[in-house]
Structure formats: C-alpha cells, structure tokens
Amino acid sequence: MRIAIIGTGYVGLVSGTCFSEFGHEVVCVDADISKIELLNQNIMPIYEPGLEDLVSKNKLAGRLSFTSDLKSALMGAEAVFIAVGTPSRHGESHADLSYVFQVAKDIAPLLQENAVIVTKSTVPVGTNRKIKQFIENDRPTLKFHIVSNPEFLREGAAIADFMRPDRIVIGHESEYAKDIMAKLYRPLYLIETPIIFTSLESSELAKYASNSFLATKITFMNEMSNLCEQVGADIHDVAKVMGLDGRIGKKFLHPSPGFGGSCFPKDLRALLAIGDDHNIDIQILKAVVKVNEERKIDMVTRIIKKMGDIKGKTIGILGLTFKPNTDDIRESSSLVIIPILLELGAYVKAYDPQGMPEAAQQLPDIMCVDNPYKLAENADALVVLTEWNEFRALDLKKIKKQMADLYLFDFRNIYNPKEACALGFDYVSLGRNSILHLKNVMGA
Ligand code: UDX
C-alpha cells in the first residue's frame, strides 16, 4: 500500500519508518528542506534508539523516501497521514492547530478520489470534523474519508511502542476507511494487538484522557512519596503493593522530580482548555498541573534544606533530558531547577549523554562536561535529574574521591540508600529517605 506522511517530527518519522517496515511504500514529507536533505543522507533530526538503522534499511529496500514535494508524495497515496506538531498556542493552553489546518489546506487540491486522510497528531475533540469540513469546502465533489488515529509512542522507546503497541485506536466514519486502516495495521492485527474502532470524537478524546491519566498517576505517586518521607515508609514498597492490583497496574508509579516532555504538560493544558470550552471544570487535572509545577521547585527546597546557603557552591547535574534515551529537554525539570540554583548563586555544571547540545541553547550559564567523573571534580553536590542507565553503573567510590563535599541528591532513586550512606555520601532520595527509614535500612 502506498502512503504519505506529512511532518517528519517524532510521530511522523517514527510512524512512517515503522509503516515501511510493515512492508508499505511510504513517502515522508516535510516543508523543512534542510531536514529532508539530512534525512536523505541518513542523518536523524532526533535521537531515538534504533531509528537510524530502520530508516536506512527501509530506504535501501526502496520502501521509504523523504521529500519536500507534497504533490509527488500524494500521487497514488491511498492514505495521507497528518503528523505535524500541535504545541500549546502562544501564551495559552489551547493546542495550536495552525500547522494541522495548513496541511489540510495544502493537501485538499491534491487529494485523489477515495483518499483516506488520517490524523496522527494529537488534536482536540472536533478537529477531524473541521478538517473534513475544510476539504469539503475546497473539493465539494471529491469522495474522501477522515480518520483519527492518535499515536501513543514514548520517546526513547518509540519504535518498540509502534511495533508492539498496547492498542490502536481508529476513529472513522466509513467502512472503506476502516478497511484501509485494517490493511495498514495488518501486521499488528496478526500479533493480536487490540484495534478499537470508534467515532472521531472518542478517538480524539481517548488520546488526551490517556496522557492526562498517566500524568495524574505519576503526580499521585509523587505526593505519596512526600508522605512516605514523613511516616518512614518506602515509596517503592508502597508502589509494589499498589501495582500488583490489576486495576492499578505496575507502570508509572515511580516518584520523580516532576514529569516533563513534549506531551504530558501540553496535553494536560489542552484537555483543561477543551473542558473549559465545554463548561466542564476538570478539577483533578488543575491540581495535577499545579502539583507538578511545584514539584520541580520543591527539589531545590530539598537541596537548600540539606546544604543551607548554596551561594558559591558547585553543583553537578546528572541528566538534563526529561527522561532517558532521548535528546529532548522540553519541559524537563532541569529547566526549572537549574535557573533557580543559578539565581541563588550556585555554580552549576552538567552532564547528559544526549541532552547537552540543546541545553547549551536553553541554559547558557551552565558548564557542560563530557563525563560524570569530570562533573564530580570539586563539586559540593551531585543532583540526579534523569535516570540514564550509565548513571546507575557509576563507580561511586571514584565519584566520592573527586568531590569537594559529599551531598548526593538522587531525585530518580537510582542508587541504593544503604550503599550510598555507607560510602559517606549525605544522600537524599525521594519517598524513602526519612531518618526513620534510613535507620531501618542501615540496621540501626
Ligand atoms: C508520553 C506517553 O507515555 C505516550 O504514550 C504519549 O504518546 C506521549 O507522551 P513520553 O512523553 O515520551 O510519552 O514519555 P513517558 O515515558 O510517558 O514519560 C513522561 C514523563 O513522565 C517523563 O518526564 C518521566 O520521567 C515521567 N515519569 C514517567 C515519572 O515521573 N514517573 C513514572 O513512573 C513514569
């Protein structure tokens, strides 16, 4: 089957590449000519494990190509995917749909009879109907079909998420579109992936509701971890007990310095705006947004509580990205925590395996170093903000020798409190570092 994917951001590039891996003939289109040139030289615009190999394999097989020529891309395409960004509108919560509507405008004159237009971008309820209306106005005699097929992939695990998803949702209005989508996803159908066919509206809302629910789950655990610290409980034990209840589930119960990324914060704000537009006050999500913003600032409070005045102190940050296995620092807790540390007069150094080029743009006042041991040199404190695997395996004895003072703030709980304390670190983690708890783990 021949398909066109418009937009080569995270969703478009990963989806297009994976559809070509399924055996379809895919043309990815982007208005950014330099991006297309790089992709044609096999240079990826994002860091995503496994992507480069899959792109080059499918390009060689002649199933995947990149162009900025929309007309040639749409020629013969049975399905046209819209996968452009929907960031927050400048200065407010609503999703900015200008890129999506621009694509609708650009493709309308080029669509062939019976074209299926599939929206993969996360769009507010009602958007697909507006796209339909737009194309109808432009091409009143054309027979075409609209589909909502939001993507649930996680950065850093995007290919695995696309190839083995928990489910696929397809909002549609015609049997023809349903059949085309079923053909497209046939390899997933064969591995018994649940494919849920719904209305356009249910599909659109399901995406926002899923992301908002996950963000709520994390935030609930962050609040529970605060309570654990006060009562001497261990958040990981609490999470284990909770997660074994099939109704709750084991995932997304890990405490953190607040969630970030390109989706959760933006989608929460957009869902609140959708609620407001329909006079539904989604109070629980308002609390999640507030608690998560305060959470990031609270990490600084913990540092100061332990170290006192940090003016003139050297603080080393381990991890800048919002999660491991990505170079993305959008809405990362590092972007809130580091500016406050600098404001308070600390000297901030940082190391991140992938996030430093972007951080150099957004945090010009920090010094980036090329490995964790250099980061530890003369540092008064180390602060773990991202749980990169390479941080888990650090030689803490060697780290200790380099440091001027021994504060270790492990805001991703990657180290063993007993071991860190035994090495002499003044160790702080989340939801398990109360004096009562430490006494228990140290056997005192
Ligand atoms: C998310 C959704 O998971 C995905 O389905 C959707 O399509 C896009 O948004 P992503 O933003 O790539 O994916 O990363 P995710 O793994 O969900 O993590 C988001 C944030 O939550 C990160 O900052 C992460 O550190 C944080 N998190 C996650 C926690 O704080 N605790 C957890 O237990 C899990």
Side-chain angles (χ1 to χ4, degrees):
M1 213 166 146
R2 183 177 156 89
I3 60 176
I5 310 252
I6 302 164
T8 55
Y10 240 104
V11 170
L13 183 54
V14 172
S15 307
T17 306
C18 292
F19 275 131
S20 69
E21 179 70 10
F22 285 174
H24 301 300
E25 191 191 328
V26 180
V27 187
C28 291
V29 196
D30 204 294
D32 184 342
I33 297 171
S34 57
K35 205 174 182 187
I36 292 298
E37 277 169 3
L38 289 175
L39 281 164
N40 279 326
Q41 295 163 43
N42 227 43
I43 300 170
M44 299 300 109
I46 48 167
Y47 172 76
E48 181 63 36
L51 184 62
E52 196 177 327
D53 288 349
L54 213 58
V55 167
S56 92
K57 177 185 160 197
N58 284 288
K59 262 166 60 182
L60 272 176
R63 289 190 294 261
L64 179 63
S65 60
F66 299 97
T67 181
S68 37
D69 179 16
L70 191 62
K71 195 174 174 189
S72 66
L74 259 61
M75 221 170 274
E78 287 178 80
V80 181
F81 281 77
I82 302 177
V84 291
T86 52
S88 292
R89 247 189 255 160
H90 192 66
E92 60 144 328
S93 306
H94 285 92
D96 178 354
L97 294 172
S98 55
Y99 302 105
V100 171
F101 291 139
Q102 184 61 45
V103 172
K105 192 172 162 198
D106 294 343
I107 62 173
L110 303 171
L111 291 171
Q112 64 175 38
E113 194 70 10
N114 258 332
V116 178
I117 297 111
V118 190
T119 309
K120 263 233 171 281
S121 310
T122 302
V123 293
V125 184
T127 305
N128 277 285
R129 252 176 232 295
K130 284 186 190 152
I131 295 173
K132 184 180 171 193
Q133 188 68 59
F134 191 89
I135 296 172
E136 265 168 8
N137 290 346
D138 200 73
R139 302 277 304 276
T141 56
L142 180 77
K143 189 162 168 48
F144 67 96
H145 312 262
I146 289 285
V147 168
S148 160
N149 173 220
E151 189 47 61
F152 294 94
L153 53 83
R154 289 164 302 163
E155 292 185 20
I159 291 169
D161 281 354
F162 195 96
M163 295 296 197
R164 287 179 296 282
D166 289 338
R167 79 306 205 183
I168 301 284
V169 57
I170 295 171
H172 70 106
E173 290 187 311
S174 75
E175 284 306 305
Y176 179 83
K178 191 177 168 184
D179 288 350
I180 289 281
M181 295 308 287
K183 262 194 221 164
L184 265 172
Y185 281 111
R186 192 172 145 74
L188 298 185
Y189 179 77
L190 295 177
I191 58 167
E192 296 184 0
T193 305
I195 301 186
I196 300 144
F197 293 97
T198 69
S199 68
L200 296 174
E201 288 75 13
S202 299
S203 169
E204 290 167 331
L205 187 56
K207 169 67 197 263
Y208 279 111
S210 299
N211 273 0
S212 301
F213 189 81
L214 289 170
T216 305
K217 196 174 177 188
I218 296 167
T219 305
F220 178 82
M221 291 313 282
N222 280 339
E223 297 225 284
M224 283 305 106
S225 89
N226 287 343
L227 191 55
C228 284
E229 289 161 18
Q230 298 307 315
V231 301
D234 180 328
I235 188 67
H236 298 297
D237 290 340
V238 173
K240 199 178 279 172
V241 175
M242 289 171 65
L244 285 169
D245 185 327
R247 293 168 300 178
I248 296 174
K250 291 178 188 168
K251 294 178 185 164
F252 279 61
L253 298 177
H254 199 83
S256 66
F259 61 78
S262 61
C263 293
F264 283 177
K266 148 182 102 69
D267 290 353
L268 272 179
R269 289 192 291 262
L271 186 52
L272 277 167
I274 295 168
D276 284 348
D277 290 345
H278 294 85
N279 295 320
I280 300 293
D281 185 17
I282 315 173
Q283 295 183 47
I284 195 166
L285 294 189
K286 283 187 182 152
V288 171
V289 171
K290 182 168 174 281
V291 170
N292 193 56
E293 281 168 2
E294 288 171 0
R295 178 83 177 163
K296 296 176 183 180
I297 299 165
D298 182 49
M299 296 301 116
V300 182
T301 312
R302 286 160 193 257
I303 294 171
I304 292 164
K305 207 168 153 195
K306 200 75 186 157
M307 295 179 70
D309 187 3
I310 57 167
K311 193 162 185 217
K313 302 277 183 197
T314 300
I315 299 184
I317 306 290
L318 276 167
L320 296 163
T321 51
F322 79 99
K323 64 182 283 189
N325 299 323
T326 178
D327 56 358
D328 197 342
I329 63 169
R330 279 176 286 178
E331 306 242 13
S332 173
S333 56
S334 63
L335 294 180
V336 174
I337 294 167
I338 292 173
I340 306 177
L341 295 175
L342 290 168
E343 182 91 357
L344 293 171
Y347 171 60
V348 180
K349 302 198 277 180
Y351 169 72
D352 187 284
Q354 292 293 335
M356 294 197 296
E358 188 54 35
Q361 308 290 318
Q362 297 204 39
L363 298 163
D365 296 329
I366 63 170
M367 187 175 87
C368 289
V369 297
D370 31 336
N371 70 63
Y373 299 99
K374 265 200 191 153
L375 186 77
E377 270 171 27
N378 298 319
D380 295 292
L382 288 184
V383 183
V384 180
L385 290 184
T386 319
E387 69 278 32
W388 284 93
N389 265 344
E390 69 170 82
F391 298 165
R392 295 178 198 273
L394 288 183
D395 180 347
L396 287 183
K397 271 192 197 147
K398 194 170 156 192
I399 290 278
K400 181 188 162 183
K401 281 192 195 135
Q402 319 274 55
M403 292 177 69
D405 211 341
L406 290 180
Y407 293 105
L408 178 55
F409 298 95
D410 178 5
F411 293 151
R412 292 287 183 171
N413 290 6
I414 60 174
Y415 300 120
N416 180 317
K418 199 172 175 179
E419 283 169 21
C421 292
L423 278 171
F425 283 104
D426 207 337
Y427 179 77
V428 175
S429 61
L430 300 176
R432 55 176 190 172
N433 51 282
S434 69
I435 291 168
L436 189 60
H437 172 68
L438 281 181
K439 269 188 187 154
N440 286 340
V441 293
M442 300 294 285

